[in-house]
Amino acid sequence: MLRFFAPLIAPLVGLLFVCALLYAVIAAPSAPAAHLASEEFHLPPKDIHYSFEGPLGKYDNQQLQRGFQVYKEVCSACHSMRLVAFRDLEEIGFSKPEVKALAKGWATETPSVNPDTGEPATRKSLPSDFIPGPYANETAARAANNNALPPDMSLLAKAREGGPAYIASLVTGYADAKTFTKDGKSLMKEFPDFNTPTGLHFNPYFANLNIAMPPPLSADGQVTYADGTKATKLQMATDVSAFLMWAAEPKLENRHRTGLAVLAYLVIATLLAFGAYRNIWHGKKH
């Protein structure tokens, strides 16, 4: 009798195992999903209009120059732009003498080598140099920022979801977690245990609501614009985010022009092909 049932034992055990697994996956009650403050109270980027948006969009050089001024006077204290050279600034309207003066007067000198001793040294920057960062290396950057690493800003506008609007929203979005509300709901009432750890700052536009970067734009008029534009916090944020978009995609206008030329070519080619088709098959039966 055992010999008769022995070949069936292994398949039967396997079948029971599969049934138990299917029950665990399908039929068994699932645990409720975790309710997180970062999911309910995170805000999308503000609706900010930029001149370079859309297929016909173009950069506003005055805005880009203002944005560079905000980067120079505010952001460059912590953030580098190692992929942007000083001479690239000529593309946004700075003259060669202005670029030369900017490079020479930059707060951080360019790393170099002493030709006499071969030891590491620094020198005044040249227009051909990339914009030097504020720290010698990553270790120094972390040591100065509570172990947080300020990201390089060269490609930041393309690397972050939401692009320049996200950057502008983030730098103007700092708030008090104790009084913050969204859609009529209070953060502290919904999540009484929520807290902002020491060294971090509450910002609803940041993914987990707490960010290491302190508010970079503290008040209106923090920067005095050369063109007389009123430097509100939102204006400075919009200008610097537009400048970062140019830094990340300086050939955007060329791409727009190329795209329009290609579309025009395709429309003309389509019309010519259709005309040739009508001419060849005119009056002929299929």
Side-chain angles (χ1 to χ4, degrees):
M1 183 67 69
L2 292 175
R3 291 180 180 178
F4 177 77
F5 289 105
L8 301 177
I9 293 177
L12 183 60
V13 171
L15 180 61
L16 291 174
F17 177 77
V18 171
C19 291
L21 183 62
L22 289 174
Y23 175 81
V25 173
I26 300 174
S30 58
H35 191 48
L36 301 177
S38 57
E39 294 179 354
E40 184 169 343
F41 286 89
H42 179 255
L43 296 178
K46 298 175 183 177
D47 185 15
I48 301 176
H49 172 71
Y50 292 92
S51 63
F52 50 79
E53 294 176 335
L56 300 177
K58 294 183 178 181
Y59 287 122
D60 179 351
N61 280 356
Q62 280 193 314
Q63 182 180 48
L64 299 185
Q65 291 181 24
R66 293 196 303 267
F68 171 74
Q69 184 179 351
V70 176
Y71 168 75
K72 178 178 179 290
E73 297 184 18
V74 180
C75 308
S76 65
C78 297
H79 296 274
S80 60
M81 293 195 76
R82 64 176 181 270
L83 300 181
V84 179
F86 286 104
R87 63 185 175 191
D88 294 335
L89 298 175
E90 294 178 21
E91 298 180 14
I92 63 174
F94 286 103
S95 65
K96 290 183 182 294
E98 288 175 327
V99 169
K100 187 176 181 179
L102 284 170
K104 186 177 180 180
W106 198 255
T108 307
E109 294 188 336
T110 296
S112 182
V113 175
N114 188 316
D116 298 324
T117 64
E119 295 294 326
T122 59
R123 59 170 174 77
K124 294 292 184 181
S125 298
L126 301 172
S128 57
D129 291 322
F130 290 98
I131 298 177
Y135 306 109
N137 50 48
E138 180 179 333
T139 302
R142 290 186 180 278
N145 292 278
N146 196 27
N147 203 39
L149 180 64
D152 180 82
M153 284 188 153
S154 305
L155 303 175
L156 196 64
K158 297 290 288 185
R160 297 293 187 267
E161 184 178 359
Y166 164 76
I167 296 173
S169 301
L170 183 72
V171 298
T172 58
Y174 291 84
D176 185 355
K178 295 179 181 179
T179 59
F180 181 74
T181 60
K182 178 185 176 184
D183 298 332
K185 296 182 180 180
S186 170
L187 170 63
M188 299 311 298
K189 287 185 179 180
E190 295 290 326
F191 297 90
D193 296 332
F194 179 85
N195 69 89
T196 299
T198 302
L200 299 183
H201 307 270
F202 177 74
N203 192 318
Y205 293 97
F206 195 64
N208 65 4
L209 306 184
N210 292 321
I211 186 172
M213 180 177 68
L217 301 177
S218 56
D220 294 345
Q222 187 172 342
V223 171
T224 301
Y225 285 137
D227 64 0
T229 300
K230 187 177 180 180
T232 63
K233 289 173 65 175
L234 182 58
Q235 182 68 56
M236 291 184 288
T238 304
D239 291 343
V240 74
S241 59
F243 170 72
L244 294 179
M245 182 63 186
W246 168 82
E249 195 169 2
K251 304 301 181 183
L252 178 139
E253 292 182 21
N254 292 340
R255 182 167 58 82
H256 284 178
R257 285 193 292 267
T258 301
L260 291 174
V262 170
L263 286 176
Y265 168 79
L266 291 175
V267 169
I268 294 172
T270 300
L271 293 175
L272 291 175
F274 181 73
Y277 165 79
R278 293 293 301 271
N279 184 58
I280 294 172
W281 293 97
H282 178 70
K284 296 183 180 180
K285 295 182 179 180
H286 295 281

